[in-house]
Amino acid sequence: MQYKRFYYLIELQYLGFRYHGWQKQPDVLTVEHMLGKTLNYVLEGQRFKVIAAGRTDAMVSVNQTYAELFVYEEMLDLDTFLPLFNKNLPQDIKCLSIKETTADFNIIQHPKLKEYLYFFCVKEKMHPFCAPLMVNLQEDLDIELMKEGALLFEGDHDFYSFAFRSNPETKTEGTIDVCQLKENDIYTANFFPETSYVLKVVGEGFKRQQIRLMMGALIDLGRHRIDLSDLKKIIDGKNKIKLEHIAQASGLILNSVQLKN
């Protein structure tokens, strides 16, 4: 039997600290699982399917992203659906908006510009309330050197060393439009450290754990375990240097996804 299908674009945000990433997995709590559970309740068993604009790893949060929602048989009343959906979602997941789209729209293939933020602080032990949003490196890092290193990632590169578990078919070339490390003035709270830092990275596409591998390399630079010339060699994919330092996930936020025309 052929069911009629309706197409929607939903805009989401969530705190990833208690989730094992986006993708549904057996025996662990994921964002996709909770989204599906809520949709099944709100839609009263009506058939549906959700495809995300991209997956996030365990403990990674999202300020704004998109997912495509396919609903079968009956069209949604968006005025009533959105408040009902949010009322039943967990408190750490929010639907920002929903709108109709068309059958030819593909959330995976559609060009996107993504902005990632990685928050961290150094030296003193941070307040425990910071843990879902920030990584505490209780040591003295050379922040000015890390700022210089971050700029080296901008432009066109073969990011072989920053593609986690790549295979011969993995396309490792890419472009980073912005890579900047600075004092954090983006997210603040009265329990945040007096000084914290953020790595801002903007580009069209990233490999699995790429931002965390980049941050790991910058931390090693700040510890003087590598220098700027070493980092340049790592960024040059033809050197095929394998990295092992993956920065902790909880400092990473997918801040925004812009759908390009």
Side-chain angles (χ1 to χ4, degrees):
M1 182 177 179
Q2 189 74 27
Y3 290 103
K4 189 169 184 180
R5 185 158 65 169
F6 301 94
Y7 307 87
Y8 301 95
L9 186 66
I10 56 177
E11 189 179 13
L12 297 166
Q13 61 184 182
Y14 54 86
L15 182 66
F17 195 63
R18 74 184 180 111
Y19 295 103
H20 288 257
W22 166 271
Q23 188 175 9
K24 189 183 296 183
Q25 305 170 57
D27 304 320
V28 295
L29 188 65
T30 70
V31 177
E32 185 180 24
H33 169 77
M34 292 307 299
L35 207 68
K37 186 177 180 180
T38 306
L39 282 167
N40 190 59
Y41 175 77
V42 170
L43 296 175
E44 299 180 333
Q46 187 177 343
R47 190 178 163 208
F48 68 88
K49 182 179 179 181
V50 176
I51 300 177
R55 301 169 182 172
T56 49
D57 293 331
M59 302 179 77
V60 174
S61 295
V62 171
N63 180 56
Q64 182 267 335
T65 189
Y66 292 99
E68 201 169 359
L69 171 65
F70 307 100
V71 177
Y72 297 82
E73 300 178 56
E74 294 183 21
M75 191 174 187
L76 297 180
D77 180 345
L78 300 186
D79 291 334
T80 59
F81 172 81
L82 183 59
L84 183 62
F85 189 35
N86 272 322
K87 182 178 180 180
N88 288 281
L89 279 169
Q91 294 189 31
D92 49 10
I93 303 176
K94 182 179 180 181
C95 181
L96 298 169
S97 68
I98 181 168
K99 65 179 182 179
E100 283 189 72
T101 186
T102 57
D104 59 354
F105 179 79
N106 186 311
I107 192 69
I108 301 297
Q109 297 179 0
H110 194 90
K112 297 173 285 289
L113 191 67
K114 296 183 178 181
E115 178 181 288
Y116 283 94
L117 302 174
Y118 191 98
F119 293 91
F120 67 100
C121 60
V122 298
K123 301 180 183 177
E124 298 300 321
K125 178 79 171 179
M126 68 183 182
H127 194 295
F129 290 179
C130 299
L133 300 172
M134 186 179 297
V135 169
N136 190 192
L137 301 164
Q138 295 179 60
E139 56 190 300
D140 199 1
L141 297 178
D142 189 337
I143 298 295
E144 294 306 313
L145 185 62
M146 293 171 71
K147 290 178 180 178
E148 287 185 62
L151 294 173
L152 297 177
F153 287 99
E154 294 184 346
D156 301 327
H157 300 283
D158 180 350
F159 290 106
Y160 173 88
S161 297
F162 302 92
F164 181 71
R165 293 181 181 173
S166 61
N167 57 56
E169 287 73 43
T170 303
K171 294 182 179 179
T172 55
E173 295 84 4
T175 303
I176 290 181
D177 298 323
V178 176
C179 189
Q180 180 185 30
L181 193 150
K182 62 175 185 175
E183 281 196 26
N184 169 34
D185 59 359
I186 299 173
Y187 291 143
T188 60
N190 60 8
F191 52 82
F192 273 20
E194 184 176 342
T195 303
S196 60
Y197 301 93
V198 59
L199 176 71
K200 175 182 175 181
V201 186
V202 180
E204 286 196 12
F206 298 95
K207 303 304 174 188
R208 184 184 174 196
Q209 297 188 353
Q210 180 175 342
I211 307 297
R212 291 169 60 196
L213 283 163
M214 290 167 59
M215 189 67 217
L218 290 174
I219 292 170
D220 288 344
L221 182 67
R223 289 170 172 165
H224 293 163
R225 291 182 180 174
I226 62 173
D227 58 26
L228 288 173
S229 63
D230 295 324
L231 184 58
K232 289 177 182 177
K233 291 175 184 175
I234 296 169
I235 294 173
D236 187 345
K238 74 172 183 289
N239 294 314
K240 306 293 183 187
I241 298 171
K242 281 291 185 182
L243 299 179
E244 296 182 357
H245 185 179
I246 303 173
Q248 295 177 53
S250 54
L252 183 60
I253 295 175
L254 173 56
N255 196 46
S256 65
V257 175
Q258 177 185 339
L259 300 176
K260 302 177 76 174
N261 295 328

